[in-house]
Amino acid sequence: SLNSGYGPYAGARIRLHPNGDYLYSASNGLSPSDFEKYDVRGDTARRLYDSPYHGDYAFNGDLWFSGDGARIFARSGNVFRASTSQGQDMVYGGSLAGVSTVNAVAQVGTSGSVLVLGAPASASPWYPEQAAVTEVRSYEPQFLALRGTVRLPKFVANGTSHQGEGRFLFVKGD
């Protein structure tokens, strides 16, 4: 249950931080988009605060955590820090090069490659949420430098070739 009479906005995406103590939510359908944090260590979830930004950086309605929980990846491709200190929490920390829209983020272990299922930056700059998510990009974990890109395979249906589009990303620990 939530205290204070309100919780995440309708349509928000909510994810549990890897430490299990906090929920983060990403608003959808609001302008500007935002993140919020909730403490779930007790019987009732308690809203703590939202991001320190109001329209400075796009969040675009979804979020994922790095394997160690130190980073928050936004659907927009922007990257933020996660911290137990409010002054350091949800602070902008860069962006994923070459991505306009993110559908999923997964990290191999807690220190391996960061894999991103996303639409290339060249796709639909005016409507990134409508961009086709056609590639998996690999980033090194420390500075998020791009290591490489793999295009999703095409498939044939009723004799016609179609480009594959991704919605989910699953990674084996090895």
Side-chain angles (χ1 to χ4, degrees):
S1 69
L2 290 166
N3 72 350
S4 71
Y6 64 93
Y9 291 99
R13 298 287 194 269
I14 300 170
R15 303 230 188 247
L16 181 65
H17 187 273
N19 70 12
D21 291 340
Y22 302 100
L23 291 175
Y24 285 77
S25 74
S27 61
N28 272 289
L30 298 177
S31 182
S33 57
D34 202 1
F35 285 162
E36 292 184 322
K37 184 175 186 176
Y38 294 82
D39 184 341
V40 293
R41 291 176 288 184
D43 292 338
T44 302
R46 183 172 54 92
R47 183 183 184 278
L48 297 175
Y49 47 83
D50 63 353
S51 79
Y53 307 110
H54 188 75
D56 299 320
Y57 299 102
F59 299 98
N60 291 10
D62 213 341
L63 67 142
W64 298 267
F65 295 101
S66 58
D68 62 3
R71 287 188 177 125
I72 306 168
F73 299 95
R75 182 168 170 78
S76 63
N78 287 324
V79 182
F80 302 86
R81 285 185 287 200
S83 174
T84 55
S85 167
Q86 182 175 352
Q88 296 299 311
D89 202 17
M90 298 182 273
V91 172
Y92 180 75
S95 64
L96 297 167
V99 174
S100 66
T101 301
V102 173
N103 265 15
V105 176
Q107 188 167 9
V108 180
T110 57
S111 60
S113 295
V114 174
L115 302 176
V116 175
L117 180 62
S122 61
S124 186
W126 299 108
Y127 300 99
E129 67 280 355
Q130 296 175 6
V133 177
T134 59
E135 58 189 30
V136 176
R137 302 172 72 81
S138 174
Y139 296 86
E140 67 83 26
Q142 187 174 3
F143 298 108
L144 297 176
L146 181 64
R147 286 184 169 160
T149 301
V150 175
R151 189 150 176 90
L152 296 177
K154 292 185 175 187
F155 63 94
V156 176
N158 296 326
T160 303
S161 179
H162 301 276
Q163 174 60 54
E165 292 187 34
R167 295 186 185 243
F168 303 101
L169 181 62
F170 301 94
V171 179
K172 288 174 47 175
D174 60 356

